[in-house]
Amino acid sequence: MEKERLNLVIVGHVDHGKSTVIGRLLADTGSLPQGKLDQVKATCAKNARPFEYAFLLDALKDEQAQGITIDSARCFFETQKRYYIVMDAPGHIEFLKNMVTGAARADSALIVIDAFEGIQENTKRHGYLISMLGVKQVTVLVNKMDLVDYSQEVFEKTRTEYLAFLEHLNVKPLSFIPISAFEGDNIVSASKNIPWYKGPSVLEQIDKMKKPNSDDKLNMPFRFPVQDIYKFTALGDDRRNFAGTIETGSVEIGQEVVFLPSGKKSSIKTIEEFNVPVQSRATAGQALGFTLDTQVYIEPGELMARTDQPLPNISSRFRANIFWMGNSPLIQEKAYKLKLGSKRIPVKLVEIINVLDASNLSSIKNKQQVDKHDVGECVFETSKPIAFDLLNENEYTGRFVIVDHYDIAGGGVILEKLSDTETNFKKQIEKRELTWESGLISAKERSATYRHKPKFILFTGEHGVGKRIIAKSLEKKLFDHGLKAYYLVFSNLNLNLEMDSRDGYPFQERSKLIRRIGSVARIMTDAGLIFLTTSANFDDFDLEKIRLLTAPNEFLVINVGKNHFNHFKPDLILETDGDIELHLDQIYQLLSDQMVLEYYI
Amino acid sequence: MDHLKKIEAQSIFILREAYRDFKNLVMLWSIGKDSTVLLWLARKAFFGHVPLPLLHIDTHYKIPEMIQYRDRAAKEWNLNIIYGENSEALKYKNTYPDGNLDRINCCKNLKTEALRHTLSGEWPRYKFNHQLGRYDVDEDKEAYTGVIVGVRADEEGSRSKERAFSPRDKENDWDVGDQPPELWNQYKTDFAPGTHLRIHPLLDWTELNIWEYIHREKIPIIPLYFDQGEGKRYRSLGCQPCTTPVESTSVNIPEIIEELKTGKFANIAERSGRAQDKEDGGGLETLRKEGYM
């Protein structure tokens, strides 16, 4: 049977003895290249300096530079039970990004505290990050006990103080171990110098740590972030594969599934992997693809879940803890990009509840921004609702990163779903309406003169179904009847606006387009017009936003061809390649049913 | 889930992220064991297809079996294969085997320069024509800005600090000290326009993992890696004049796996048979700074 591997990260304040602990572990488990220990000892003797285990690490790093296969960021040692991959996380605050990268991959953590110097800033900051990054098993090593005469009192004082800190974070350490890495006390076996300590040695403790049980993930509800949808037609392949990696849970062929936030449903037809036998069940961790019983049109980024299990939350607002690594602070009113699972979406910080100084967990009140190395409790709002779990339900789909410009600048965990009936977006529209200044002509007067109500008619449907020709014909017919109709192709407007604004990121284009359509429709209908436009690929949430933006005037949605909406009911569905005159009659009927043309008829 | 299955899933995830987010991607294929595993992982990620071009830099000093293997795989796996070369250097014999250059500068000419100009589209690219079974000049001259490379963290010092998505500016400068964080499954996939990117899906693999995976997946591999009866085999493949085999009697994959497990090579660098690494103190480091993969 294959021997287990455990990823271990060693953190702590600078100079509290992380490297010495690692050096000891490598040496005492016989994991060093032959003769290495003697060689380093000899070098020390030659230079008349006392041997330290930390020098071993330096020596190994030198060797690595010469091309031998030992990694400075990662050391390896082996006990009878398993392999350990040790990530040496830099204690200096400048390297916090690297520490976070190392710790995010760890199964368990050792936090090293200098008994003599006591708890320091990064002892706390690292403790906080370890908890936030989801490292489950933590052991605290109170090091340099030799410098405090192996005093139980000092040990207990450090223990009590740090335990209280960890309690705040909901971290329950497996143990506190008094050690001297320098002298080798309690590293491999019980030390005679510390008779009052009855617990395990460091090595005994880490061997007792559990490999994160894949059953834990397996028994959680099924979560599958759709990374991409492939249809490679080469060599007659007709599969439409929903590709991704299962975060948690399992699924079997025939199971009904739902894509969120769109809410579209289907059932698993096949489980697809290259060069493996046919499978009827797929489980957490597998990178694979699914084909479905029915055609489902969704974008990458949706979360697939089972309809017979608890579903994730859906909202555009949530409360989260976030730590910030960006050089520019996290501020309100700036558009960032949120990456959660396979979802990428524009996001804004809308409220700072609290900013914590991560080094002591004291809160800084009334802070208006989250600075580099700060930890904040904040409310975020995405441009459309997204699917997520809460940290305490499913951490794997409850954590996210925030991209500022082009860099990952923050990492966060979601604590609470907030209602999105009162979004910032809605507040902005309310404000717009309150301050909207009109001329001397009322809407009613305009309608009476124009002989119709204002209305925004949006034609949607897949690309190439003939939306534009129908819209143009309708405009002409309304015009010929003496009505005030105007058809706008949005690419005209976009090209105009793009001429002076090239600052946006491409991923925000869609959300910008929605705003433009809604805002222009608000103006055009205020002018009393029947305003027509066409655009492809809207979802339920886009139309809800357009509706809000167009208010107080309403809009009609005419879908041409296959209807891809889930809950949203278009006002009219027209067939592709139908008779134009027939279509226009249908639309006229709709307009009179809606009393748009009451003055005309 | 065992360890191989885990690192396989992670590599597939990275390949899919790259394919989702970047245009003008290309995958380097040296025909060696690592980049062949990488190619296999692409077939896994894309369900038997390889929807991106594979680029091979032909120095014309490669061991002949490698080229035969390349063209057979192109046909059998329906690959979009492109090769590039430094035809000037070959024409004017500016090479080490011709006695006109040292090894480092030969590598620079035949590999680094050839790669750089083939990626940029300045030099001709030769594309495999599946109908006619030959290579034709590729009309597509657009630069490849995302390059997928099969480097592993355990191979050599400078590779151990790499990230999965690693930006390089036009001069190929690489700021090792200030690299983006990688959290959970979130990699840095946003880059300013014009950024040249290297993508490394194999960082977490070791030499042993590679062989175990080749064995498990039954990936066809060049017999040069096995002892042909002379007590020697290649551990790393390159150009004939600069690659020497190691002492080994392993004749098949299980024997190579056993050999690696004994720790026989634990203190011998995998690339020790590659002569260019040894010149100039830190040969590979120098080469990598200039854009060698």
Side-chain angles (χ1 to χ4, degrees):
Chain A
M1 220 199 94
E2 197 195 17
K3 220 167 167 177
E4 262 185 358
R5 285 152 212 266
L6 194 89
N7 289 317
L8 193 64
V9 66
I10 304 199
V11 300
H13 200 71
V14 68
D15 285 338
H16 279 199
K18 293 186 295 292
S19 299
T20 314
V21 171
I22 297 172
R24 261 291 172 189
L25 286 170
L26 293 181
D28 293 357
T29 53
S31 307
L32 292 167
Q34 225 175 356
K36 191 83 247 167
L37 190 59
D38 293 337
Q39 186 198 327
V40 176
K41 280 183 175 164
T43 311
C44 287
K46 207 167 70 189
N47 296 323
R49 59 203 274 215
F51 168 77
E52 283 188 31
Y53 279 90
F55 295 155
L56 261 176
L57 278 198
D58 295 338
L60 292 176
K61 282 174 195 170
D62 287 347
E63 253 178 29
Q64 177 203 9
Q66 291 158 25
I68 291 190
T69 59
I70 292 177
D71 186 315
S72 73
R74 280 167 266 180
C75 302
F76 304 89
F77 71 91
E78 191 181 350
T79 64
Q80 287 198 332
K81 188 170 173 190
R82 54 163 88 105
Y83 296 109
Y84 289 93
I85 300 135
V86 185
M87 283 159 292
D88 182 14
H92 200 277
I93 192 154
E94 286 308 306
F95 298 112
L96 201 72
K97 276 195 300 188
N98 299 350
M99 180 264 164
V100 162
T101 303
R105 313 161 125 228
D107 303 315
S108 44
L110 300 179
I111 301 176
V112 183
I113 307 175
D114 182 333
F116 187 73
E117 213 175 275
I119 294 160
Q120 297 293 312
E121 184 180 326
N122 279 334
T123 321
K124 291 189 171 180
R125 184 179 274 113
H126 286 180
Y128 194 98
L129 291 174
I130 287 291
S131 90
M132 199 146 156
L133 289 167
V135 183
K136 292 281 174 305
Q137 309 177 92
V138 174
T139 276
V140 183
L141 309 181
V142 181
N143 190 24
K144 306 195 189 178
M145 288 300 291
D146 52 318
L147 298 185
V148 295
D149 298 328
Y150 300 104
S151 153
Q152 185 172 7
E153 198 185 328
V154 173
F155 172 74
E156 288 299 338
K157 185 174 158 286
T158 311
R159 193 176 103 94
T160 311
E161 195 184 333
Y162 200 58
L163 204 56
F165 173 80
L166 291 179
E167 221 155 61
H168 270 296
L169 308 173
N170 275 327
V171 173
K172 291 177 187 65
L174 298 171
S175 58
F176 280 74
I177 309 179
I179 64 164
S180 165
F182 186 76
E183 299 291 345
D185 295 308
N186 282 340
I187 299 289
V188 173
S189 52
S191 162
K192 290 195 189 76
N193 293 325
I194 315 178
W196 47 265
Y197 174 76
K198 304 292 178 212
S201 69
V202 178
L203 215 55
E204 286 164 353
Q205 177 63 70
I206 58 176
D207 264 351
K208 263 196 240 168
M209 286 176 169
K210 289 196 198 81
K211 179 80 193 158
N213 197 341
S214 38
D215 285 354
D216 294 348
K217 278 190 173 188
L218 200 61
N219 294 331
M220 294 165 89
F222 176 68
R223 296 288 185 262
F224 179 75
V226 179
Q227 196 176 3
D228 219 332
I229 298 146
Y230 299 131
K231 192 158 192 320
F232 299 117
T233 51
L235 308 176
D237 191 348
D238 62 357
R239 288 173 297 176
R240 192 157 175 271
N241 256 312
F242 291 75
T245 304
I246 303 176
E247 286 285 2
T248 55
S250 65
V251 71
E252 287 179 23
I253 287 178
Q255 172 65 48
E256 190 187 44
V257 291
V258 57
F259 295 90
L260 295 168
S262 75
K264 292 180 182 179
K265 288 181 186 171
S266 189
S267 301
I268 303 287
K269 187 177 173 193
T270 60
I271 295 167
E272 301 284 337
E273 262 188 282
F274 172 73
N275 201 38
V276 296
V278 175
Q279 309 168 75
S280 59
R281 179 169 183 260
T283 57
Q286 275 183 277
L288 42 59
F290 296 107
T291 65
L292 303 176
D293 277 334
T294 52
Q295 288 274 39
V296 169
Y297 291 89
I298 57 146
E299 306 252 309
E302 294 233 355
L303 188 60
M304 184 166 117
R306 279 167 56 164
T307 53
D308 63 341
Q309 289 181 332
L311 294 177
N313 299 289
I314 296 174
S315 180
S316 56
R317 278 167 82 89
F318 57 83
R319 183 168 63 86
N321 274 343
I322 175 141
F323 62 91
W324 198 248
M325 297 169 280
N327 290 327
S328 322
L330 171 67
I331 53 171
Q332 299 191 30
E333 292 311 314
K334 181 171 170 185
Y336 298 95
K337 178 181 189 172
L338 177 98
K339 291 172 82 179
L340 187 159
S342 55
K343 189 80 186 174
R344 289 95 195 263
I345 190 164
V347 68
K348 277 183 176 171
L349 167 69
V350 293
E351 189 189 339
I352 297 178
I353 298 170
N354 212 340
V355 173
L356 295 179
D357 182 337
S359 63
N360 59 12
L361 285 196
S362 66
S363 57
I364 309 162
K365 294 278 180 226
N366 300 322
K367 199 165 169 179
Q368 295 305 305
Q369 60 185 41
V370 182
D371 288 314
K372 191 175 187 175
H373 302 147
D374 276 350
V375 177
E377 186 185 345
C378 304
V379 176
F380 290 95
E381 187 174 312
T382 49
S383 68
K384 285 202 274 183
I386 57 167
F388 58 85
D389 286 293
L390 306 184
L391 177 69
N392 59 11
E393 295 166 350
N394 186 335
E395 62 181 293
Y396 307 99
T397 40
R399 57 198 185 188
F400 60 89
V401 297
I402 286 184
V403 178
D404 182 11
H405 214 58
Y406 298 109
D407 294 318
I408 292 179
V413 291
I414 301 183
L415 305 172
E416 187 190 6
K417 169 196 168 175
L418 300 176
S419 156
D420 53 6
T421 48
E422 272 309 312
T423 57
N424 244 36
F425 180 74
K426 283 182 190 164
K427 279 186 211 150
Q428 284 172 3
I429 291 169
E430 278 163 23
K431 194 176 161 199
R432 180 192 75 183
E433 290 306 313
L434 275 173
T435 54
W436 191 283
E437 193 176 332
S438 298
L440 299 175
I441 306 149
S442 73
K444 214 169 175 184
E445 286 169 309
R446 241 187 263 274
S447 294
T449 303
Y450 293 170
R451 298 183 298 129
H452 62 82
K453 280 190 197 165
K455 197 59 128 185
F456 171 35
I457 304 176
L458 176 60
F459 290 84
T460 184
E462 291 175 23
H463 287 286
V465 292
K467 297 183 290 291
R468 286 192 183 186
I469 186 68
I470 301 173
K472 286 177 185 176
S473 308
L474 178 63
E475 182 196 28
K476 181 78 167 64
K477 183 165 177 168
L478 291 166
F479 178 81
D480 289 346
H481 283 144
L483 306 179
K484 306 283 185 285
Y486 180 69
Y487 168 62
L488 174 69
V489 178
F490 254 84
S491 52
N492 297 349
L493 182 68
N494 284 336
L495 281 176
N496 268 320
L497 293 176
E498 286 309 321
M499 277 193 268
D500 57 4
S501 85
R502 301 289 286 171
D503 56 337
Y505 317 126
F507 82 98
Q508 290 176 325
E509 289 306 312
R510 193 73 199 161
S511 122
K512 269 197 212 163
L513 176 69
I514 303 290
R515 270 193 182 245
R516 279 178 194 165
I517 289 178
S519 305
V520 172
R522 170 72 179 89
I523 296 167
M524 294 299 212
T525 50
D526 195 51
L529 305 181
I530 296 174
F531 173 56
L532 317 174
T533 193
T534 54
S535 189
N537 301 328
F538 289 114
D539 65 22
D540 293 6
F541 303 111
D542 294 328
L543 291 186
E544 174 59 19
K545 284 184 98 166
I546 293 175
R547 189 184 66 75
L548 288 169
L549 284 161
T550 309
N553 294 308
E554 287 168 7
F555 77 147
L556 293 173
V557 175
I558 298 176
N559 191 91
V560 184
K562 197 161 166 31
N563 175 18
H564 293 315
F565 293 107
N566 194 42
H567 299 296
F568 184 85
K569 299 268 177 294
D571 297 280
L572 186 63
I573 296 178
L574 301 175
E575 279 170 30
T576 315
D577 300 326
D579 177 55
I580 293 270
E581 285 308 317
L582 204 67
H583 286 339
L584 295 184
D585 288 348
Q586 285 175 284
I587 298 169
Y588 256 63
Q589 187 59 49
L590 173 70
L591 293 178
S592 70
D593 289 348
Q594 296 277 331
M595 315 272 275
V596 176
L597 304 181
E598 57 189 319
Y599 298 97
Y600 166 70
I601 293 161
Chain B
M1 224 177 168
D2 66 14
H3 183 67
L4 274 187
K5 201 74 193 156
K6 269 186 201 160
I7 53 178
E8 177 198 63
Q10 194 59 21
S11 302
I12 290 173
F13 181 83
I14 293 168
L15 284 167
R16 287 175 177 164
E17 287 290 273
Y19 187 70
R20 179 180 175 187
D21 283 324
F22 302 105
K23 302 271 175 290
N24 299 327
L25 278 180
V26 71
M27 184 185 278
L28 294 194
W29 189 26
S30 73
I31 333 288
K33 63 187 191 318
D34 298 332
S35 59
T36 301
V37 163
L38 185 61
L39 167 57
W40 192 262
L41 288 165
R43 299 183 79 203
K44 287 255 175 191
F46 308 113
F47 306 102
H49 302 268
V50 184
L52 39 98
L54 294 167
L55 176 61
H56 179 234
I57 295 303
D58 195 346
T59 61
H60 294 267
Y61 287 102
K62 292 284 175 191
I63 301 166
E65 285 95 321
M66 294 172 75
I67 303 298
Q68 289 159 16
Y69 177 91
R70 177 189 78 186
D71 294 348
R72 199 178 66 232
K75 285 178 217 152
E76 280 176 17
W77 297 347
N78 191 38
L79 303 175
N80 176 9
I81 293 224
I82 286 163
Y83 80 81
E85 63 186 16
N86 188 343
S87 46
E88 289 282 299
L90 289 165
K91 186 176 164 194
Y92 296 107
K93 300 194 182 300
N94 278 324
T95 71
Y96 169 76
D98 287 310
N100 296 327
L101 284 181
D102 62 16
R103 292 183 205 265
I104 290 263
N105 280 303
C106 180
C107 257
K108 197 178 155 191
N109 263 354
L110 295 187
K111 290 188 190 169
T112 314
E113 289 299 310
L115 176 65
R116 184 187 307 191
H117 295 286
T118 306
L119 287 177
S120 71
E122 294 160 88
W123 290 359
R125 297 168 178 163
Y126 302 91
K127 182 176 173 171
F128 190 72
N129 181 328
H130 281 272
Q131 259 100 48
L132 302 174
R134 64 166 197 227
Y135 286 85
D136 295 332
V137 174
D138 189 5
E139 296 303 321
D140 178 13
K141 295 191 182 345
E142 204 174 337
Y144 294 120
T145 48
V147 186
I148 307 177
V149 195
V151 302
R152 307 190 328 263
D154 77 331
E155 262 179 294
E156 177 272 329
S158 70
R159 291 180 177 182
S160 74
K161 297 169 199 124
E162 284 282 9
R163 295 279 199 263
F165 289 82
S166 180
R168 300 285 202 273
D169 64 20
K170 292 238 165 59
E171 277 71 50
N172 275 307
D173 278 344
W174 177 38
D175 189 349
V176 186
D178 186 30
Q179 297 199 74
E182 288 175 352
L183 289 187
W184 310 306
N185 245 352
Q186 300 294 357
Y187 294 95
K188 176 176 161 78
T189 52
D190 297 273
F191 296 93
T195 307
H196 286 240
L197 190 68
R198 294 197 189 161
I199 299 143
H200 305 124
L202 291 186
L203 282 184
D204 287 347
W205 294 60
T206 63
E207 187 183 7
L208 179 60
N209 295 151
I210 292 283
W211 283 112
E212 286 172 334
Y213 191 69
I214 289 170
H215 186 52
R216 174 185 294 189
E217 292 288 326
K218 301 190 173 60
I219 305 173
I221 204 82
I222 302 193
L224 292 168
Y225 283 108
F226 308 128
D227 174 25
Q228 308 288 329
E230 288 162 20
K232 289 177 194 306
R233 70 175 189 89
Y234 287 98
R235 195 171 162 210
S236 176
L237 287 179
C239 296
Q240 200 150 25
C242 296
T243 310
T244 51
V246 293
E247 302 283 327
S248 165
T249 54
S250 298
V251 296
N252 55 35
I253 299 168
E255 288 187 23
I256 291 180
I257 292 172
E258 277 316 304
E259 183 180 62
L260 289 171
K261 279 186 175 168
T262 62
K264 175 179 167 186
F265 296 129
N267 288 316
I268 305 166
E270 184 180 347
R271 290 177 57 92
S272 62
R274 306 286 287 277
Q276 71 270 25
D277 289 14
K278 290 176 188 145
E279 289 195 356
D280 183 28
L284 190 59
E285 187 82 41
T286 314
L287 286 168
R288 273 171 71 74
K289 277 203 184 118
E290 284 162 355
Y292 183 90
M293 302 284 174

